[in-house]
Amino acid sequence: MSETLLHIERLALSLPEGGERLYAVENIDYHLDSGEILCVVGESGSGKSMTANAIMRLLPRGVNVAQGRALFAGRDLLRMSEEEHRALRGRHIGMIFQEPMTALNPLLRIGDQLAEVFEAHGLLSTGERRQRSLALLEEVRLPDPAAALRAYPFELSGGQRQRVMIAMALALEPQLLVADEPTTALDVTTQAQILGLIRDLQKRRGMAVMLITHDFGVVAEVADRVCVMREGRIVEMGTAAEVLDNPRDAYTRALIEAIPGDAVAPPREVADSVPLLSVTGLDKVYRTGGGWFKEKREVVALEGIAFSLGRGETIGVVGESGSGKSTLGRCLVGLNRPDSGEIRLDDVDLRALAGRELREHRRRIQMIFQDPYASLNPRTRVGMAIAQGPIANGVPRAQALARARELLATVGLEGSAAERFPHEFSGGQRQRIGIARALALDPELIIADEAVSALDVSIQAQILALLDRLKKELSLSLLFITHDLRVAAQICDRLIVMQKGQIVEQGSAEQVFNSPQHAYTRELLAAIPGRRRPAATPVVEEDQP
Amino acid sequence: MSFWHRFARNRGALLGVFILTFFILLALLAPFLYPDSPWRMVQRPFLAPGEVEGFPLGTDAMGRDVAAGLAHGAWVSLLVGLISTLAAMLIGVPLGALAGYFGGRVDDVLMRFTEFFQTIPNFALAIVLVAILQPSITTIILAIAIVSWPPVARLVRGEFLSLKQREYVEAARLVGQGHVAIIVRQILPNALSPVIVLASLMIATAILLESALSFMGLGDPDLMSWGYMIGAARTVMRQAWWLSVIPGVAILLTVLALNLVGDGLDDALNPQLARQR
Amino acid sequence: MLYLSLIAGRLGKAVLVLLAILVFNFFLIHAAPGDPALVMAGEAGSTDAEFIADLRERFGLDQPLPVQLWHYISGVLTLDFGYSYRQQMPVLDLILDRLPATLLLTGAAFIISLSLGVLAGALAAMRAGKPSGSLIMGLALLFYATPLYWVAMMSVLLFSVWLEWLPAYGFSTVGANYTGLAHVGDVALHLILPALTLGLFFMAIYTRMTRTSMLSVAQQDFVRTARAKGVAPGVIQRRHILRNALLPIITLAGLQAGQMVGGAVLTETVFAWPGIGRLMYDALMQRDYNLLLGVFFFSALLVIVFNMITDVIYRLADPRIRGAA
């Protein structure tokens, strides 16, 4: 059964001149047998997608094959004519992509886009194409396939669109499926379903799958074999069991260890039982349109939210996209205005304040944002970005700038960073700058909105450790908003689980993980990729960047 | 890569700078090269270019020196183009910024207002304005500014709409910066590059508009302009084709140069898009 | 039902815009230097004091501004756009008489510029980076930078004066009195130069826009999906890229309609084409303000109609908006 389907030999892809390195990938050697799932794992910039793009001829402009071969059933994919290659694409090799929201043509019906696969290879009559399309949509378990056939992409959810993409990639029963981060853009429960679907279909059809991912959880879930990449080179390769349980390479080990396991840290002593923040009956409805000629639409974002947060405590707010968790954070800092309810900070109702008083109290709650690239003004020097808050609050300029340098040291950067512009820093460093900015106003509560979601796992761990240290040193309270239960488990004392604008469960992190009460919480926990694997004990040190 | 390096890589843009420099010099030197009024009759009418020494571009139907007209016309064209574009920016940038930043009702009202001006046919509005307010360089500049600000407002609004949701702007709100500081210091500098590109293209459009108004007989009666020269040559096109060809080529080259410069600025200011060209 | 409310909304907006233009017109007349009665008397070719007083009373110029405004607007609502003393005819009759010629000219120019512009832009996008693609873009830039009226004059010089291929002026051959098909052919012959020169500038705009739009759509994920499916390059260009790239072109075409009506003033002036643009030029030359403002109002009306048509087309073309309506 294991006959080699794809053989990549000494592949090197050159980058355009003047870049950081000469090759996107080099010395790539691996093979893929029919009937197996190979996971190519790596962090951003590791070149993990490049090989797949090369064999699909989807390389970005400027990236070229420098040397090597990619033999598919004995023929070199890199050197055959475009016509020969096109005959293979879709028919013998299928591909699905990361972002299902944009991967389908918005102006064509789903049925037409499916039928196009058959049309492109001159197969079947129009009627037969339609029937096969219907059967395919049933196979990928889309609810109401007949309606989906007539639908336009915008009428389907992200998960449904990814199912359509899979149906399309599998339409002609290819021997090889290339899946580039197929679940990264999806919610955790949808992610589990899509992974399950890919594995089922692979087993049933006996095809080979090359799955590219950054997530060792996904690897643990589906991989037969694993190939770990770093900076364009393969650092380790082996069966899933070998690599996951006995990583030989130090980098692989670090990556695996950096995934927060699902073992919950022991409950910490909460120093102060007096609540710092207490929220009751918070409601928020988003209204769009309602102009003079527009229709009104209403989306309930928050409904009857109530909880309290003690001094020095860390609460994790967990939920999928659309659960209202970000809206909650934005209401607390004042970026959004709730419709009703109370937000009390030490017995002061923030919603009843205005003007100078409000500003004085707002200062006490600060935020760390998700996207390290969008959260700093590209035209403002880092020191100024940190000092702006104190200056706006009346601190003399020189004093504020001096303090900014101290804060940079606090978050583990050099003071000289203050003179530089944001684009000179990496994602993790920028996130440190964002933290320094939040600290500049001496807040008591910090709200971290998906603050590590955009970072690679190894960097994620460093930032989490930094937050943990700062919290203790400065006796801060932390509200940690995340979609990733694994991250929440690592840092939070208590957890709040949100679904459709409501809190469905709250309790100590230990309780929520070990004896979840609500069905939705159980579903979320079950969906964590790699959960069945015994967790590695997280040993994370806060490295200097 | 530096701004100038990226700009200079676009060879068309360099050509544009070259042509533009020529016309700017011509405009600035006009009072010294041709100190006399360009309206004065100096020679026999209908001299072909090169027919008589000292009149390299010939004379028109009234015996006026075409070269003098061309030089003085360059001044008018460039001046009107520049000032009317500045005026349009002064209307469009604040309106667009307010609409995009505050959104909601403010946006609704300001955008209805902008749409109104965008619906009215540009050139017809400019004609009506200049005709009724009486042709002069002031009314011409005013009319061109009034018909050309809406795209500026829309562009700036769009930039503000997207930039105000950037996290660094939200962070600035959180630390207590006021609206004015956020608009001027956080958003505006980041919204400026497309506005600069648009401005260079708008100068070109303004020059075309001015020449068309002058062609229709709505130029400033005291100032010689290229559009007027073409308009005056229309009735004698069969006898003296060069009278309409020469100023037409001048307009064409100036407008072309401004567009080339605009493309170059676009490449230099938006490097991620430059590769498509 | 939603379609109905949508159309009602559009119409409501159009009426508001037209009302605003009327108010604008009214105040513009009053902003004009000099006494309107004197201006009108001047138009009528009289300086007789009694006649001026009579005019003042007849047009209510002695009444307060709001009352005058009301008279003006209610006049227009009953299709009374005033009287042209120069032409000795009601303004409305003059305009309605000339409107068909303008519709023919702008309609022809619109179709020519849009179809050729999209075609050229699509070719330029597919040949991006090759000499043929650059040539198309160079020509587009050249046409974009050329004054419209000057192109018109140069084409008369070339095709009528020197080559003698096409008629230079007018709507039909004077004194020929063709009927039936011969008349249609004669008008078509006269239409070629005006429509082409008016369309050229807009063709350049659509060419540039189509190319930019196609190149940006080509970067999108669904194009990559189509490639991964093994769809042929030509089909990808047509079905996936061009179709999506056309959406912004439709919006642009609606916005450009206004410019085209403005451009018609110049083209009609050069070619003595008997439309409302030429009428505007005449009104300008004769300082016939009633007529000038009447033409201005109708040109705005034309633009609004153009905009509504493109709006409907956009809604039909984009299922996302169709679904939302």
Side-chain angles (χ1 to χ4, degrees):
Chain A
M1 113 149 220
S2 59
E3 127 205 17
T4 296
L5 184 65
L6 177 71
H7 203 129
I8 293 166
E9 291 176 357
R10 302 192 65 76
L11 178 70
L13 301 172
S14 62
L15 286 170
E17 276 175 52
E20 276 174 32
R21 55 184 202 232
L22 282 174
Y23 295 100
V25 299
E26 55 186 317
N27 246 335
I28 300 296
D29 259 302
Y30 60 74
H31 65 96
L32 185 56
D33 297 342
S34 50
E36 74 168 347
I37 300 186
L38 171 73
C39 279
V40 182
V41 205
E43 298 190 288
S44 53
S46 64
K48 59 183 185 294
S49 301
M50 281 296 178
T51 310
N53 285 336
I55 64 175
M56 291 303 283
R57 296 211 175 163
L58 296 173
L59 284 174
R61 198 176 289 192
V63 181
N64 295 307
V65 176
Q67 68 162 27
R69 299 196 296 172
L71 298 176
F72 179 78
R75 296 160 69 202
D76 189 356
L77 289 170
L78 305 177
R79 298 209 167 60
M80 62 178 60
S81 76
E82 175 58 26
E83 269 311 297
E84 283 176 289
H85 196 274
R86 190 167 71 75
L88 286 179
R89 287 202 303 266
R91 183 154 194 185
H92 298 286
I93 311 177
M95 185 162 184
I96 49 180
F97 303 95
Q98 172 172 352
E99 193 38 86
M101 301 310 274
T102 52
L104 292 163
N105 186 336
L107 302 186
L108 296 181
R109 292 175 196 277
I110 299 294
D112 295 334
Q113 301 197 45
L114 270 165
E116 198 181 34
V117 186
F118 302 103
E119 187 206 315
H121 298 278
L123 301 169
L124 308 181
S125 68
T126 314
E128 286 167 333
R129 286 172 192 167
R130 203 180 159 70
Q131 274 183 341
R132 278 291 296 142
S133 302
L134 193 65
L136 279 164
L137 290 185
E138 274 165 18
E139 199 177 353
V140 296
R141 289 176 239 141
L142 214 65
D144 199 355
L149 219 50
R150 284 190 307 272
Y152 286 97
F154 77 94
E155 296 170 285
L156 304 183
S157 71
Q160 289 170 336
R161 290 189 211 188
Q162 199 61 306
R163 284 170 195 272
V164 171
M165 285 299 292
I166 294 174
M168 218 147 72
L170 300 186
L172 297 176
E173 315 209 341
Q175 291 117 292
L176 171 62
L177 174 69
V178 179
D180 190 356
E181 300 264 14
T183 59
T184 308
L186 303 173
D187 274 331
V188 56
T189 48
T190 319
Q191 177 177 12
Q193 292 163 10
I194 296 289
L195 278 181
L197 178 67
I198 291 177
R199 201 177 40 207
D200 284 359
L201 292 171
Q202 180 264 339
K203 288 243 154 59
R204 208 170 334 146
R205 298 185 169 190
M207 65 183 172
V209 174
M210 182 196 294
L211 196 145
I212 296 149
T213 181
H214 68 283
D215 189 342
F216 261 102
V218 170
V219 176
E221 200 84 348
V222 298
D224 294 318
R225 281 195 307 129
V226 185
C227 164
V228 185
M229 292 194 60
R230 181 191 195 187
E231 288 172 7
R233 295 163 187 275
I234 296 176
V235 295
E236 181 157 7
M237 196 138 109
T239 66
E242 279 166 18
V243 174
L244 287 172
D245 298 332
N246 259 323
R248 278 165 311 178
D249 183 82
Y251 177 72
T252 315
R253 209 174 305 133
L255 275 187
I256 294 174
E257 279 168 0
I259 321 170
D262 51 15
V264 178
R268 308 165 210 209
E269 288 300 310
V270 175
D272 194 338
S273 58
V274 183
L276 171 70
L277 174 81
S278 64
V279 175
T280 44
L282 209 61
D283 293 321
K284 171 77 186 171
V285 178
Y286 282 118
R287 294 179 177 82
T288 52
W292 289 335
F293 302 107
K294 281 178 236 154
E295 260 182 279
K296 274 186 193 165
R297 272 194 207 177
E298 294 195 346
V299 179
V300 178
L302 295 177
E303 203 177 345
I305 300 296
F307 69 92
S308 66
L309 172 66
R311 274 185 195 281
E313 192 182 23
T314 300
I315 290 189
V317 179
V318 201
E320 298 185 290
S321 56
S323 64
K325 59 184 192 302
S326 284
T327 306
L328 174 59
R330 296 172 61 85
C331 283
L332 293 181
V333 294
L335 284 174
N336 284 4
R337 205 182 291 261
D339 298 329
S340 58
E342 269 188 0
I343 301 171
R344 285 186 175 277
L345 197 62
D346 275 346
D347 279 340
V348 186
D349 185 3
L350 289 182
R351 296 198 57 224
L353 299 179
R356 179 187 288 267
E357 267 189 315
L358 178 66
R359 256 171 86 177
E360 169 53 25
H361 287 283
R362 281 260 177 269
R363 176 195 64 75
R364 299 165 61 192
I365 310 181
Q366 289 298 319
M367 195 166 202
I368 305 168
F369 294 89
Q370 169 172 4
D371 186 346
Y373 289 89
S375 65
L376 293 170
N377 189 336
R379 289 172 202 270
T380 305
R381 285 179 206 278
V382 163
M384 195 58 204
I386 297 170
Q388 261 165 354
I391 292 174
N393 283 280
V395 176
R397 195 185 157 93
Q399 192 185 329
L401 284 169
R403 172 108 171 89
R405 286 172 159 270
E406 287 170 31
L407 284 167
L408 282 169
T410 311
V411 298
L413 293 171
E414 285 176 25
S416 62
E419 305 305 320
R420 294 196 274 157
F421 285 96
H423 68 85
E424 299 172 50
F425 296 90
S426 70
Q429 289 172 325
R430 289 185 199 208
Q431 208 55 317
R432 286 172 193 267
I433 297 168
I435 293 172
R437 177 176 57 192
L439 293 177
L441 287 170
D442 300 318
E444 291 152 55
L445 168 60
I446 285 193
I447 292 171
D449 187 1
E450 300 276 11
V452 297
S453 310
L455 305 173
D456 282 330
V457 271
S458 51
I459 312 289
Q460 246 182 26
Q462 291 171 17
I463 297 292
L464 286 176
L466 170 67
L467 279 176
D468 210 38
R469 171 168 71 79
L470 290 174
K471 196 190 85 170
K472 286 186 194 120
E473 283 177 12
L474 307 171
S475 61
L476 291 168
S477 303
L478 204 58
L479 191 79
F480 200 87
I481 298 167
T482 181
H483 71 282
D484 194 335
L485 276 162
R486 294 171 294 183
V487 169
Q490 204 184 12
I491 187 171
C492 300
D493 306 320
R494 282 203 295 144
L495 285 181
I496 289 175
V497 181
M498 288 188 68
Q499 185 192 22
K500 292 176 188 157
Q502 293 179 327
I503 294 181
V504 296
E505 179 160 0
Q506 55 177 314
S508 76
E510 198 187 10
Q511 252 173 23
V512 173
F513 263 81
N514 296 337
S515 51
Q517 299 301 304
H518 196 273
Y520 178 68
T521 313
R522 286 195 287 272
E523 199 184 325
L524 276 184
L525 286 169
I528 300 179
R531 184 168 155 80
R532 270 158 283 173
R533 222 177 63 77
T537 335
V539 188
V540 175
E541 274 155 44
E542 188 196 323
D543 300 338
Q544 294 298 309
Chain B
M1 230 185 321
S2 73
F3 172 86
W4 282 113
H5 196 103
R6 286 194 299 259
F7 184 84
R9 216 173 34 168
N10 183 332
R11 261 185 261 151
L14 285 184
L15 179 68
V17 169
F18 182 74
I19 299 175
L20 210 54
T21 312
F22 171 76
F23 279 107
I24 291 173
L25 284 178
L26 186 65
L28 291 177
L29 296 179
F32 307 103
L33 293 173
Y34 303 97
D36 282 351
S37 162
W39 298 94
R40 243 189 66 192
M41 192 181 143
V42 289
Q43 248 289 356
R44 222 153 23 88
F46 294 121
L47 282 181
E51 198 176 328
V52 170
E53 202 168 327
F55 298 92
L57 300 179
T59 57
D60 71 0
M62 314 282 277
R64 298 175 293 214
D65 184 356
V66 173
L70 205 66
H72 286 269
W75 170 251
V76 173
S77 284
L78 292 172
L79 191 74
V80 170
L82 197 67
I83 296 185
S84 61
T85 299
L86 280 178
M89 292 285 153
L90 283 181
I91 310 174
V93 172
L95 281 188
L98 291 178
Y101 183 77
F102 288 105
R105 282 283 147 82
V106 179
D107 184 32
D108 252 6
V109 171
L110 290 179
M111 278 302 111
R112 289 292 164 278
F113 185 67
T114 311
E115 264 174 36
F116 170 71
F117 274 91
Q118 218 165 14
T119 308
I120 306 178
N122 263 357
F123 188 56
L125 175 59
I127 288 179
V128 168
L129 279 172
V130 176
I132 291 184
L133 300 177
Q134 303 306 319
S136 76
I137 189 143
T138 323
T139 54
I140 290 171
I141 287 174
L142 186 78
I144 295 177
I146 286 178
V147 301
S148 32
W149 65 267
V152 183
R154 295 188 78 99
L155 176 75
V156 172
R157 170 183 178 264
E159 289 292 315
F160 267 66
L161 272 181
S162 93
L163 287 173
K164 79 166 174 186
Q165 294 182 358
R166 288 289 164 86
E167 290 175 345
Y168 64 80
V169 176
E170 299 197 322
R173 276 172 67 192
L174 283 189
V175 300
Q177 283 198 341
H179 292 310
V180 178
I182 292 180
I183 290 178
V184 175
R185 265 191 260 144
Q186 305 285 357
I187 306 185
L188 200 58
N190 289 298
L192 232 42
S193 343
V195 177
I196 291 172
V197 174
L198 179 66
S200 69
L201 302 180
M202 274 173 64
I203 298 178
T205 314
I207 289 177
L208 282 177
L209 259 175
E210 186 277 332
S211 79
L213 284 172
S214 301
F215 173 78
M216 295 286 285
L218 291 172
D220 187 318
D222 298 329
L223 297 171
M224 177 59 80
S225 83
W226 293 342
Y228 167 81
M229 292 167 77
I230 300 177
R234 188 160 75 91
T235 45
V236 296
M237 204 162 65
R238 282 160 205 266
Q239 300 95 298
W241 54 266
W242 61 89
L243 289 181
S244 42
V245 170
I246 291 167
V249 170
I251 297 175
L252 169 59
L253 285 177
T254 311
V255 174
L256 193 67
L258 280 163
N259 276 287
L260 290 172
V261 170
D263 284 351
L265 285 176
D266 202 12
D267 284 0
L269 293 170
N270 307 306
Q272 66 276 23
L273 296 175
R275 250 183 245 158
Q276 289 181 20
R277 283 171 200 287
Chain C
M1 271 323 285
L2 281 167
Y3 269 115
L4 278 184
S5 77
L6 194 84
I7 292 171
R10 293 279 144 182
L11 283 176
K13 215 158 128 182
V15 169
L16 278 181
V17 171
L18 290 176
L19 269 181
I21 289 179
L22 285 179
V23 175
F24 179 80
N25 273 355
F26 176 79
F27 284 107
L28 204 58
I29 303 177
H30 285 267
D35 179 353
L38 281 178
V39 174
M40 262 191 263
E43 286 174 18
S46 164
T47 47
D48 183 27
E50 206 172 309
F51 178 69
I52 292 171
D54 183 46
L55 271 179
R56 217 171 245 140
E57 200 182 336
R58 189 140 60 94
F59 289 94
L61 293 174
D62 44 359
Q63 294 185 7
L65 270 184
V67 178
Q68 292 189 40
L69 175 62
W70 170 244
H71 281 305
Y72 178 68
I73 290 180
S74 57
V76 170
L77 289 182
T78 55
L79 295 180
D80 175 10
F81 286 87
Y83 193 79
S84 163
Y85 289 95
R86 296 280 174 172
Q87 315 247 8
Q88 294 293 322
M89 265 173 92
V91 166
L92 183 68
D93 294 0
L94 277 169
I95 292 176
L96 288 182
D97 189 39
R98 299 288 195 92
L99 201 55
T102 296
L103 286 177
L104 182 65
L105 173 63
T106 48
F110 187 72
I111 292 170
I112 291 173
S113 60
L114 195 57
S115 50
L116 292 183
V118 168
L119 192 72
L123 279 176
M126 289 182 221
R127 306 213 190 319
K130 294 180 191 157
S132 55
S134 308
L135 180 70
I136 294 176
M137 292 323 289
L139 284 177
L141 183 60
L142 197 66
F143 293 145
Y144 182 74
T146 316
L148 209 140
Y149 55 92
W150 189 68
V151 177
M153 284 170 62
M154 292 302 112
S155 64
V156 168
L157 203 58
L158 181 62
F159 295 106
S160 307
V161 178
W162 290 343
L163 296 172
E164 295 182 1
W165 286 354
L166 291 165
Y169 299 107
F171 185 76
S172 53
T173 311
V174 181
N177 292 324
Y178 291 120
T179 50
L181 268 183
H183 178 65
V184 173
D186 186 40
V187 170
L189 211 59
H190 280 80
L191 180 62
I192 292 175
L193 277 186
L196 272 182
T197 51
L198 178 56
L200 211 53
F201 174 77
F202 296 94
M203 191 179 110
I205 293 183
Y206 298 133
T207 302
R208 287 159 66 103
M209 181 81 185
T210 304
R211 176 176 179 275
T212 311
S213 181
M214 280 187 70
L215 287 179
S216 91
V217 171
Q219 311 278 321
Q220 290 191 20
D221 288 353
F222 62 82
V223 176
R224 191 178 56 177
T225 305
R227 273 183 57 79
K229 285 198 279 193
V231 180
V235 179
I236 292 183
Q237 291 286 355
R238 273 197 314 278
R239 193 184 289 161
H240 293 280
I241 300 180
L242 185 56
R243 237 198 237 201
N244 279 279
L246 279 180
L247 287 180
I249 309 289
I250 297 174
T251 312
L252 181 81
L255 284 175
Q256 289 299 329
Q259 313 283 349
M260 195 167 272
V261 173
V265 177
L266 291 165
T267 321
E268 291 182 6
T269 301
V270 174
F271 289 102
W273 185 262
I276 60 171
R278 176 77 199 186
L279 199 60
M280 193 169 205
Y281 181 73
D282 294 343
L284 211 56
M285 291 294 109
Q286 298 161 347
R287 308 215 161 273
D288 190 343
Y289 291 151
N290 266 346
L291 184 56
L292 187 65
L293 292 176
V295 172
F296 177 54
F297 180 81
F298 267 83
S299 59
L301 187 67
L302 266 186
V303 174
I304 288 174
V305 172
F306 254 110
N307 276 336
M308 286 171 88
I309 294 173
T310 50
D311 206 49
V312 171
I313 294 175
Y314 191 95
R315 270 158 204 288
L316 292 177
D318 191 339
R320 285 162 293 189
I321 295 193
R322 213 190 310 154

